[in-house]
Amino acid sequence: MVISKKVQIRLNVFFVTIAILFIGVFSMYELGYLDELLVILAKDNYIFYWMLLIGFLAEIVAGSMGMGYGVICTTTLLFLNIPPHIVSASIHSAESFTTAAGSISHIKLKNVSKSLVKKLAIPAVIGAVIGALSLTYLGEYYSKITKTVIAFYTLYLGFQILSNAFKSKQNKSLKRKTNLTRLGAIGGFIDSFAGGGWGPLVTGTLIKNAFTPRFAVGSSTVAKFILTLTSAITFFFTLGIQHWNIILGLLIGGIITAPFSAMLTSRLPVKKMFVIIGTLVIVMSSITIYKSVFN
């Protein structure tokens, strides 16, 4: 019965999303705007459809592992030569909706610690505002430096997480002391300023310091939603909304996936969670370092 309820929650969100999209497309058709919409979606070498795919894949990773959406999307957009401030603004605009869907799923699955969310979210909001304003006014140069430094840190962090999976004995009841206020503030700043990084930094640190993976992922996702919404609002007032085709592609691809991906979090064994998250962080960090150094 519990499993059927979980499945029903996912299906309800999925069908509501599909219904909204169908009504939107049908309305555009009836009003005679569908052809214009298709022209807009085909702009910039059909970037909308590429973003649809990237949003879909990135949200599978982010929803189940608690990290990766921003880093995957940022890497892709920078590869397509989109300016960093537009990258971050677009990702956070779309991610406001996808993280909301993911947060609802984690709450329903009871993967969330309210106290942990509060300790992370409040400083993360402050960091997100500072990061968004800094990126807007300081520009691309400092963004690349920040991303490179953080990528090296998350690379190290990935190896540490991966090593936890192969320790013969782990004392799961013993947690290392973690300064959650500092972690949330730095994570919020980095995520806003560099277009991503909250998951590998914050969720990765929580798991590395022996927080239960499912609560680390679920609580981090909810805190991420709060900082993402803050960042998106800040970018709206400083930059406005640009590149609707990018935002729409990431949004639709991610929001359809989000309700289902959270189910993986509560089902994966702890050891496999360490392996998957550690490997994911290592791969993403390596790609980020390579692009920052050689481009």
Side-chain angles (χ1 to χ4, degrees):
M1 179 62 68
V2 175
I3 295 178
S4 62
K5 286 182 179 180
K6 292 178 181 179
V7 173
Q8 189 61 49
I9 292 170
R10 315 272 93 60
L11 291 176
N12 288 341
V13 176
F14 175 76
F15 286 126
V16 168
T17 304
I18 294 298
I20 293 173
L21 293 175
F22 176 80
I23 292 172
V25 172
F26 182 76
S27 300
M28 294 288 288
Y29 174 78
E30 288 295 317
L31 295 172
Y33 295 128
L34 186 58
D35 290 339
E36 294 181 19
L37 176 62
L38 293 176
V39 171
I40 294 174
L41 297 183
K43 289 176 60 179
D44 301 325
N45 296 318
Y46 298 94
I47 194 173
F48 165 78
Y49 299 102
W50 287 109
M51 291 302 101
L52 189 67
L53 176 62
I54 294 300
F56 180 85
L57 296 176
E59 186 56 37
I60 289 178
V61 174
S64 57
M65 296 294 102
M67 63 182 72
Y69 186 94
V71 178
I72 292 172
C73 293
T74 298
T75 302
T76 304
L77 289 172
L78 289 178
F79 179 79
L80 296 174
N81 295 319
I82 306 297
H85 60 285
I86 300 299
V87 169
S88 188
S90 299
I91 289 173
H92 285 93
S93 296
E95 213 173 8
S96 296
F97 297 91
T98 59
T99 52
S103 296
I104 292 172
S105 296
H106 280 296
I107 291 172
K108 294 293 184 181
L109 291 170
K110 298 181 179 180
N111 292 337
V112 178
S113 165
K114 293 181 180 179
S115 61
L116 183 55
V117 171
K118 290 179 182 179
K119 291 176 182 178
L120 289 173
I122 294 175
V125 165
I126 298 173
V129 172
I130 296 174
L133 292 175
S134 299
L135 180 61
T136 299
Y137 295 108
L138 296 181
E140 181 177 355
Y141 180 72
Y142 295 101
S143 176
K144 286 187 175 181
I145 291 177
T146 303
K147 287 180 63 178
T148 303
V149 172
I150 298 305
F152 274 109
Y153 171 72
T154 55
L155 180 65
Y156 161 78
L157 192 60
F159 282 110
Q160 291 297 312
I161 295 172
L162 192 60
S163 69
N164 288 337
F166 300 101
K167 291 180 180 179
S168 57
K169 294 182 180 180
Q170 294 188 36
N171 187 354
K172 296 182 178 63
S173 64
L174 179 62
K175 294 182 181 179
R176 299 183 187 179
K177 187 175 181 180
T178 306
N179 189 325
L180 296 175
T181 300
R182 182 173 60 190
L183 181 64
I186 294 175
F189 174 83
I190 292 169
D191 197 85
S192 253
F193 190 68
W198 171 268
L201 178 62
V202 177
T203 310
T205 298
L206 292 176
I207 293 175
K208 176 176 176 288
N209 290 357
F211 283 78
T212 304
R214 59 177 294 197
F215 290 113
V217 172
S219 303
S220 177
T221 298
V222 175
K224 164 75 171 178
F225 161 67
I226 297 172
L227 86 86
T228 297
L229 184 62
T230 302
S231 182
I233 293 173
T234 304
F235 278 122
F236 175 78
F237 283 108
T238 57
L239 298 173
I241 298 294
Q242 304 180 43
H243 293 277
W244 274 103
N245 48 354
I246 295 176
I247 297 173
L248 193 61
L250 293 176
L251 172 58
I252 295 176
I255 204 170
I256 291 176
T257 312
F260 297 95
S261 56
M263 294 180 66
L264 295 175
T265 305
S266 59
R267 295 185 177 185
L268 287 175
V270 172
K271 184 174 181 178
K272 289 185 178 179
M273 288 283 284
F274 281 133
V275 172
I276 294 174
I277 293 175
T279 303
L280 178 65
V281 172
I282 291 170
V283 171
M284 291 190 301
S285 299
S286 298
I287 293 174
T288 302
I289 292 169
Y290 176 82
K291 292 185 68 67
S292 298
V293 172
F294 294 100
N295 284 357

